[in-house]
Amino acid sequence: MTPRALDRRAALRAELLGLVREHVPDEAIEAQIEALLAEVLAEEPVVEPQPVVTDHLPPDQRIVVTGLGVISPFGVGVEPFWAGLVAGRSAIGRITFFDPSDYPCQLAGQVNDFHPQEFMDAKEARRMSRASQMAVAAARMALDHARLPLERMARDEIGVLIASGTTSMPDVEQAVTTLIQRGGMKISPFFIPAALPNMPSSQVAIHFGLRGYTTAICTACAAGAQAIGEAAEIIRRGDAEVMLAGGAEAPITALSLGAFCVMRALSTRSNHEPTRASRPFDALRDGFVPGEGAAVLVLERLSSAQRRGAPILAELIGYGVSADAYHVTAPDPDGEGAALAIRRALQQARLAPQQVDYINAHATSTPAGDIAETRAIKQVFGEYAYSVPISSIKSMIGHLTGAAGAVEAAATILALHHGQIPPTINLEHPDPECDLDYVPNVARQAAIQVAISNSFGFGGVNAVLAFRKMPVSGYNGMDGSRHPLAVRSVASRLQTMIT
């Protein structure tokens, strides 16, 4: 639909909600819906689902996920991560790593039970940044999950691409404090190796003896998703057989908190109620809550995964990247760049928008960002935007910046696997400009075959991943008619609007 029609539709929806609040009889509501939608859609082209051949690539060009490792504010491992998400539980609390009393935001999604010595030698851990420690730990869990037999594999064919949004803030803060208090010659000799953005990737490669294509991506909050998408392309072009890809970030320091506070990017209203602070799409949202963690995915060719009998968790079928070219921190208010990235991911996957069953939103809980993403989704999905379920797990774990895209990709894969959509919690006062189905407050059972995950970063970088459910056996693509918009009932539309 055109922007004009979408704006008109939003106004008409508001009018309809007014009718509901006045307890107009159901028959009158149905009549109003039909009349109003007819007015909006009269001159708009109808978007019909197109037949999609999802298995258009040979097995050695199809990329699957065979292992997951996650460290999140819910704890260490996939199990506590998924259990927390589907329970709709917030993992956000008051910062304990330092005294945050002097800051307007005093909250974060901390990982309080991570002990690096459980995954590596204590001496080795002391020479790494916290982000690198988490990357190594998540990589270990992902490799174990994938049952990858490293001892029998050519390690020069296994690569690493772990993203970060910035440098290691704890190490920078420590070095600056030492410089001021004790002089430059007292700075740790491990500061530079710890703080470099490529060190999470390099430390994973060193720890497991992986000599393949290893690099890093540092594109703010889009980095984790972009790392996964680029890792798939590395395999497809023949530069690696297997890639460990994801993101790691540990930004909870006084330096980072102060910097985001002076930008007025963080939530400040709910220091007394930490679990209610992150509230994407809610009218009372006032900024994001920082978080830390890591996620690593094992990516490999479908053909090799089948040969070794690996667990196939999902197939990565689409990847799109774009730039807003608008502002260093603010999103394009119309969502043009984000919409372009979504379209590119769907085009690579050869998917019609109506074949997407779930959208894992970037939605950070900032006033401008959530509206821009909603507009981007409407641009791409048209009328179906009001039917596709959307949710933001940042409502529960906060914003993990450079790791966010990887952790949210893991959540998307788990949603496909379990047939359950994590909720957007704290959605109590719907913003009229955010009027889609955001799965409010309670997880939802759903037959999910295809899902996308959005990640948007400072500088206007947008990255979108599209996944589909496996196993491949007996799976011959999806029928776009699973979403026959033309026969959806008025009652169904009304329920979506009300909830």
Side-chain angles (χ1 to χ4, degrees), residues 480-492:
S481 65
R482 288 186 307 105
H483 298 301
L485 293 183
V487 299
R488 282 187 182 269
S489 69
V490 172
S492 173

Side-chain angles (χ1 to χ4, degrees), residues 27-45:
E27 296 80 7
I29 292 176
E30 291 185 8
Q32 286 288 330
I33 289 174
E34 291 304 322
L36 298 177
L37 291 180
E39 178 184 345
V40 170
L41 300 176
E43 298 179 0
E44 295 299 317

